[in-house]
Amino acid sequence: MTKTYFTLFSLAFCFIFSTFESSAQRKDKMETAPLKTAPKLVVGIVVDQMRYDYLTRFWNHYGNDGFKRLVEEGFNCKNNHYNYAPTSTGPGHASVYTGTTPATHGIIGNNWYDKVSDASVYCASDDSYTSVGTSTDAGQMSPHRMTVTTITDELRLHTQMRGKTIAIALKDRGAVLPGGHTANAAYWFDAGKWITSSYYMDQLPKWVQDLNSSNKLAKYKKPWDTLKKMKDYVESGTDNNNYEGLFEGETSPVFPHDLPKLWDENGGYNLLKATPFGNSLTTDFAIEAVDNENLGADAITDFLAVSYSSTDYVGHKYGVNSKEVQDTYLRLDEDLARLFKELDNKVGKNEYTVFLTADHAAIEVPAYLKDQKIPAEYLEWNEMDTEFNQFLEFTFGTTEIIKEFSNYQYFLNHDVIKNLELNTQEVQETIAKELMNYTGVDRTYTAYQMWQNNYTHGIPYILQNGYNQKRSGDVLVVLKPGTISYSKTGSTHGSPQIYDTHVPFLLYGKGVKKGSTVERTEIADIAPTLAVLLGISFPNGATGTPVSQAID
């Protein structure tokens, strides 16, 4: 009996001691854990129209220093989604950098009907500023329509404006919105020149002027042929098919695309936007910015926001399944490798942090899906409008009860509703029910539903996150999966369907763990994750949640 008691006492003692020791180790670890990570530079990369499966589909063709470096040495969120609609470029960039959705940040589309001015507005336009670097109005831009701060703003505030933010994209909205309200500079491409707005500066820096006046872009005025042998591009469809668009002057959508021959008829240097060379010249400019702005040169964290826009132009023209899209991603992989090599040399391999995501994904060309016996179709709005207008006349006595149609939302004329002594909620519901009768429409929702309910999952959750009470419409329309209102060639996006929401979120570099997760993450989680990593304030409208598994 005594031996038994002794054994139990020994076990209890060991358990208590080990628990105490483990607790002490945890406490010690907590006390020594750093409050933040301090990279010299954060690099935000947004690839326009990148589906998540472009990582896996083209994996065997990628080199070791681009996408593979991010995946194998960083953290991969495999189940990352946009949690709102419309899934388009302006809202996408705003959501990545604000850590919230259009319901909060206000960028509800690339363009939308503005109820205050009774006119269509563009997400980045601002005629109170002038163009810098061009005589056109292409530089009249600012982030003033975005109503909250970005992660770039918060970093600037945290460093007392000593940390620099430089934003770069071919598209103005791909630079203006990521740069936030406090960027030192945002640059975009127009007619062979890098330009900006007087919102940021009165004249271009000398290094940008020198680059614009140089002949460095001329090397991209060349035929676009495949990077590798076309016979090896087995992950894509045939080169010549009916699902792809054409450049002006082309008779078939096949390689090689003779850019010098097509040059004048397709906008000169703007032609490069719809080729992988647009991504290459973006990379060139980003490297010049690192050099000339001394980004990452000291202990105060800077931010370089780079958006690759050509992938979107190529996707719209040729479609998800095209060899052009595959070639564009293989060339982008080389551009990423080139950028990372420069950052290794100039900032230090373990001294910067990168995230890569997309502003939206894209649908397979419906005409192609139909030929594969997969349900898909095109919605012809003009044909639908004729019948819809007849319904409005019969039901309300006027078509003027509809003020505008924008981003798959009908805006009602509330003055007409008031004059007719109608109930707004009943008008919304009547119109929503009518729209359900049309081919291609999957479901409809009303503004009243968006105001009264708190949706937590599914399509209504996505719509509600995109619904801004001050800016959005009265009746929301969702098309059936596989249905678009677009040309019969090329891919598009914008819907709440999963093919438009599933995009990469890769983290790499200082402060990032190696690994991956299949748990759902959302696009609004990116900025909070960076905020926790950097130890700075969340953007002031942030609704996302940090991805804790990714932070070292």
Side-chain angles (χ1 to χ4, degrees), residues 313-333:
Y313 290 108
V314 174
H316 275 294
K317 181 171 288 291
Y318 296 103
V320 164
N321 199 46
S322 66
K323 294 193 185 301
E324 282 80 1
V325 160
Q326 178 164 356
D327 192 69
T328 297
Y329 276 88
L330 302 194
R331 290 178 181 273
L332 175 58
D333 183 60

Side-chain angles (χ1 to χ4, degrees), residues 116-266:
V116 176
S117 63
D118 190 23
S120 179
V121 297
Y122 176 59
C123 62
S125 65
D126 191 343
D127 59 11
S128 62
Y129 293 96
T130 58
S131 299
V132 176
T134 178
S135 59
T136 72
D137 62 2
Q140 291 186 287
M141 304 289 165
S142 86
H144 74 109
R145 299 191 199 280
M146 186 167 59
T147 59
V148 297
T149 64
T150 60
I151 191 67
T152 45
D153 287 326
E154 295 300 337
L155 182 59
R156 290 272 285 154
L157 292 169
H158 185 81
T159 62
Q160 298 300 310
M161 301 296 174
R162 292 178 295 167
K164 279 188 176 181
T165 292
I166 306 293
I168 298 162
L170 296 180
K171 296 181 181 180
D172 48 52
R173 57 188 179 273
V176 170
L177 299 172
H181 303 276
T182 60
N184 298 83
Y187 300 104
W188 51 97
F189 190 75
D190 182 66
K193 304 290 184 183
W194 289 98
I195 68 170
T196 190
S197 163
S198 61
Y199 178 86
Y200 305 99
M201 62 191 74
D202 294 327
Q203 64 179 20
L204 292 173
K206 186 176 185 303
W207 69 268
V208 179
Q209 295 181 41
D210 290 345
L211 185 63
N212 282 340
S213 61
S214 72
N215 199 35
K216 290 184 178 180
L217 288 184
K219 64 182 177 182
Y220 296 120
K221 186 178 179 180
K222 62 181 180 180
W224 173 20
D225 208 346
T226 52
L227 179 66
K228 299 183 179 182
K229 293 180 180 179
M230 190 186 297
K231 68 179 181 61
D232 295 330
Y233 286 18
V234 296
E235 297 79 10
S236 304
T238 58
D239 188 33
N240 192 8
N241 58 66
N242 296 323
Y243 316 122
E244 301 178 10
L246 300 169
F247 287 120
E248 292 293 329
E250 282 189 321
T251 56
S252 58
V254 298
F255 282 106
H257 298 282
D258 192 348
L259 303 188
K261 182 179 178 181
L262 302 169
W263 198 255
D264 293 336
E265 208 170 348
N266 291 273

